[in-house]
Amino acid sequence: MTTRTLGEVPTGCRERLIAHYGAKAQEWLDAVPEVLGQMAERWRLTLAGYHDAGHASVIATAADLDGRPLILKAWADPTRYQHEVCALRLWAGELTVDVMETADDQAVALLEMVGGRPGGSDWRQRETQMVAGALHGLHLRGRAELPEGSLPLLGDYLRFEVLPRIEKRALRLDLGPWQPLADDELRAITMLQEDPRRSTVLHGDLYRENVPFDGQGHPRLIDPVPMVGDAAFDWAFWTVYYDLGRETSQRLATAARISRIPVPVIAPWCRLLSLDGLLYYVDTDDPRAPQMFGVLSFLSVRGAGGDV
């Protein structure tokens, strides 16, 4: 068996991590190829190449002695590594990606490759229902084995990150014709409260690319940003962001049916996330801003919106 150093981290990945973590990530990125080579030697892997994806880690594809395809993932933030591995181990089974090996000294983990290739298989039949079922299963498992103190709290994330940045951007940005709706929603989100009876381990990052399907057509949730808090947050995130601007109403109805959390309870969380997203997109000149405004309009008490 041979291993090799993969060379420099791809430019796109490097730029995303520097944008996320700042210039301090430069030194870590320079060291990553050697670290991955060391992990390949430790775990007897053959490295294949980089998989240019993500904003918080460097991902490489590899194979073990039996030729089984695997993912080698290195985190820039050791705390984020600890949280993600903690949640994946808590959820271990057929709902998420399996953790094969970990290196706490380097914040690197060896993971199974869902569907035998990056991004998973193409088999996505009954996608909405299947993903909702998998998410509900994660919440049930997280509620049954709720870890004490090892994961951050949703309440702290909302209080110290989400709400302050919403308020800051709302004061600074000129939203033009979108301003009245944003002002209405800003007043409404101050009433939002968690229900401790729904507390569980949250995935926290339910974009479509974080839900690959395996070779049997089952969704496997990957790349969580785990927190402990109200399950309604995850259902709202999935409703809004899984496929922005498409089938929002279908996902909202499915979320309520599977979770048994009523639509009027999930919808305000959706509006919080939509307002946060709209302000971010406007602030960064992201072309998805009109899509997010359409989603927020649909979800708002004003009842407007397009094909969502």
Side-chain angles (χ1 to χ4, degrees):
M1 183 194 72
T2 61
T3 60
R4 61 187 175 89
T5 301
L6 293 176
E8 291 187 357
V9 173
T11 301
C13 179
R14 177 180 288 271
E15 290 176 349
R16 289 193 301 273
L17 265 77
I18 291 173
H20 189 81
Y21 290 109
K24 63 183 180 180
Q26 286 273 15
E27 185 176 350
W28 178 82
L29 286 162
D30 291 339
V32 161
E34 182 179 353
V35 170
L36 294 179
Q38 292 171 357
M39 295 301 99
E41 292 287 351
R42 182 184 299 185
W43 295 324
R44 307 180 71 187
L45 306 170
T46 299
L47 298 176
Y50 288 109
H51 177 52
D52 190 4
H55 294 77
S57 61
V58 173
I59 298 171
T61 57
D64 63 12
L65 288 171
D66 297 323
R68 177 174 50 172
L70 298 165
I71 291 290
L72 198 57
K73 184 172 181 179
W75 284 258
D77 180 359
T79 300
R80 184 159 178 168
Y81 154 80
Q82 293 167 1
H83 292 162
E84 185 165 334
V85 168
C86 173
L88 291 176
R89 284 176 166 161
L90 174 75
W91 293 324
E94 298 180 351
L95 300 174
T96 60
V97 62
D98 287 338
V99 179
M100 316 302 291
E101 301 280 359
T102 56
D104 294 347
D105 57 327
Q106 298 288 0
V108 176
L110 183 65
L111 309 171
E112 71 166 320
M113 187 182 294
V114 177
R117 66 180 188 182
S121 74
D122 291 330
W123 192 359
R124 285 177 172 261
Q125 295 190 11
R126 300 180 64 248
E127 182 172 357
T128 299
Q129 293 78 12
M130 294 289 285
V131 175
L135 179 57
H136 186 54
L138 247 63
H139 287 167
L140 291 177
R141 191 169 299 173
R143 190 172 296 123
E145 302 180 36
L146 200 61
E148 293 291 337
S150 57
L151 292 174
L153 300 177
L154 171 63
D156 290 342
Y157 173 62
L158 296 174
R159 187 177 305 113
F160 299 119
E161 293 188 46
V162 177
L163 295 176
R165 74 189 179 209
I166 287 177
E167 292 171 358
K168 185 179 298 184
R169 284 179 173 140
L171 289 173
R172 178 169 53 84
L173 296 174
D174 179 7
L175 299 180
W178 299 343
Q179 193 71 53
L181 178 58
D183 289 343
D184 286 349
E185 294 306 318
L186 184 60
R187 287 189 289 269
I189 63 175
T190 60
M191 307 296 290
L192 197 59
Q193 291 186 340
E194 290 188 74
D195 186 336
R197 294 172 297 181
R198 295 192 297 263
S199 188
T200 187
V201 178
L202 305 171
H203 182 282
D205 209 32
L206 288 159
Y207 296 99
R208 194 169 189 257
E209 57 265 31
N210 288 342
V211 190
F213 278 57
D214 62 23
Q216 288 71 50
H218 299 135
R220 306 282 292 279
L221 281 68
I222 65 172
D223 295 346
V225 182
M227 299 172 283
V228 173
D230 194 324
F233 176 88
D234 259 358
W235 289 110
F237 197 111
W238 179 66
T239 296
V240 171
Y241 280 105
Y242 186 79
D243 193 358
L244 181 63
R246 296 185 67 251
E247 300 183 351
T248 308
S249 59
Q250 180 183 346
R251 283 194 300 278
L252 180 57
T254 302
R257 179 171 57 82
I258 299 296
S259 70
R260 297 187 179 181
I261 303 173
V263 166
V265 174
I266 300 174
W269 290 92
C270 294
R271 290 156 58 192
L272 167 71
L273 291 168
S274 299
L275 178 60
D276 186 34
L278 174 64
L279 294 171
Y280 172 75
Y281 289 159
V282 171
D283 196 20
T284 58
D285 294 321
D286 193 299
R288 293 171 291 182
Q291 284 181 287
M292 186 60 84
F293 178 75
V295 171
L296 181 58
S297 297
F298 164 75
L299 293 164
S300 75
V301 292
R302 298 160 68 102
D307 183 17
V308 291

